[in-house]
């Protein structure tokens, strides 16, 4: 293959998101620490309003700060004294009543950043607010365990920073059959068949070859494992998150040796007219979570799955003049699993009488404590080595 043709077609591949956005893979050998435990991570993108999600409906400060958008006692789904869920979360209440949900309140980090992009990077890399990391905490998990690239999958068209490691990345896949077929095109076969071309090493293109060969191997493995679907079918909501979670459920049911899955639901940046927008999004989230859990339960694979839902920050306590809320700080996090050690309300709701100097909810639990707990107690790896620091462990698993 001529160098000019190779470069030309390689550029074409990159523009189609196959390389490098779909993945960055090296042949690192097999995962020596693989366990059957799986984590499904869901981001509510845009900054979900935690106060109108888990509602302190008897708190006067809450009602005074939100004259228009505060939820009333008659609307909410009561789960404890003075605490209720947004009415759109009725399907999640069904899981809550089974003991499958732990609500962790006041989750954040010191010196919070209120930029969507920066705060998302902080959550995805597990960095401090003044620290800039180039790889994600799941990417470092792949590096640490020397896992194959398919050990972490994002159900999307491009790969987020969370799944990018220093040596190994996860995969971004929306359709395993399409992913497999794409990597069987003549262009990819031509590259693989010309791996001894001296131009590869002469122009540092050996990396691209290694990426291609690993991608093709991973795509074949995923396709072969998932092409036989389970006979126990579940109907999912017909929306983007429903499609993502159905794909993840199919992956889990197939026996795929993937330990981390990542998906997201956008639209939570509710600066104006928050009520209807948040209500619709929480309904999508709750209905999809119930369908996903029911699907896994029917197929006897829910025992080894832990679901983590987070948003990059919460909203301010006081509503704004546009009947919405602006960027805040600490927020609630949902953990869903079958054998939680502490379900229900994990800790107290925020103290609205003691806000930080900017008028935001103060954090009580560092989000990296949740990550450390999942790594050490669930995935059974050294969280300190992955998070670059030791964090306290929580008691939800």
């Amino acid at each position: 293959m001529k160098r000019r043709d190779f470069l030309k077609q390689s550029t074409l591949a990159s523009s189609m998101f196959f390389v490098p956005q779909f993945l960055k893979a090296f042949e690192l050998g097999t995962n020596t620490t693989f366990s059957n435990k799986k984590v499904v991570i869901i981001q509510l993108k845009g900054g979900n309003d935690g106060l109108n999600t888990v509602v302190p409906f008897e708190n006067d400060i809450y009602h005074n700060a939100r004259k228009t958008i505060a939820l009333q006692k008659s609307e909410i789904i009561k789960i404890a004294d003075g605490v209720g869920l947004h009415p759109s979360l009725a399907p999640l209440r069904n899981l809550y009543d089974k003991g499958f949900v732990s609500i962790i309140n006041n989750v954040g980090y010191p010196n919070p950043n209120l930029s969507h992009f920066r705060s998302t990077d902080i959550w995805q890399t597990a960095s401090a607010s003044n620290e800039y990391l180039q790889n994600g905490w799941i990417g470092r998990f792949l590096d640490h365990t020397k896992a194959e690239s398919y050990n972490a999958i994002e159900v999307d068209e491009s790969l987020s920073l969370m799944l990018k490691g220093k040596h190994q990345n996860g995969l971004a896949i929306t359709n395993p059959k399409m992913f497999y077929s794409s990597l069987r095109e003549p262009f990819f076969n031509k590259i693989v068949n010309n791996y001894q071309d001296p131009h590869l090493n002469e122009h540092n293109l050996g990396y691209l070859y290694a990426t291609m060969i690993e991608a093709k191997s991973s795509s074949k493995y995923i396709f072969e494992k998932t092409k036989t679907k389970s006979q126990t079918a579940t109907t999912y909501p017909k929306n983007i998150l429903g499609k993502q979670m159905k794909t993840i459920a199919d992956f889990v049911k197939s026996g795929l040796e993937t330990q981390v899955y990542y998906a997201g639901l956008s639209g939570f940046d509710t600066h104006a007219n928050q009520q209807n927008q948040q209500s619709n999004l929480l309904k999508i989230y709750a209905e999809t979570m119930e369908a996903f859990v029911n699907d896994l339960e029917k197929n006897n694979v829910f025992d080894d799955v832990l679901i983590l839902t987070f948003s990059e920050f919460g909203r301010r306590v006081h509503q704004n003049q546009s009947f919405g809320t602006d960027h805040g700080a600490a927020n609630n996090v949902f953990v869903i699993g079958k054998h939680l050690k502490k379900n229900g309300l994990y800790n107290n709701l925020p103290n609205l009488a003691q806000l930080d100097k900017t008028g935001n909810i103060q954090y009580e639990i560092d989000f990296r404590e949740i990550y450390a707990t999942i790594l050490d107690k669930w995935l059974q790896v050294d969280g300190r080595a992955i998070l670059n620091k030791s964090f306290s462990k929580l008691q939800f698993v």
Side-chain angles (χ1 to χ4, degrees), residues 169-185:
N169 283 7
L171 296 170
I173 302 172
T174 56
N175 183 311
K177 183 177 180 180
M178 184 181 299
F179 184 59
Y180 176 65
S181 298
S182 298
L183 290 172
R184 289 173 60 84
E185 291 293 328

Side-chain angles (χ1 to χ4, degrees), residues 288-314:
T288 304
M289 287 303 98
E290 184 178 38
F292 181 68
V293 170
N294 288 343
D295 194 0
L296 299 186
E297 275 206 291
K298 287 178 184 177
N299 288 276
N300 300 312
V301 291
F302 184 45
D303 290 56
D304 292 323
V305 176
L306 192 70
I307 306 164
L308 171 68
T309 302
F310 78 95
S311 199
E312 66 264 29
F313 45 61

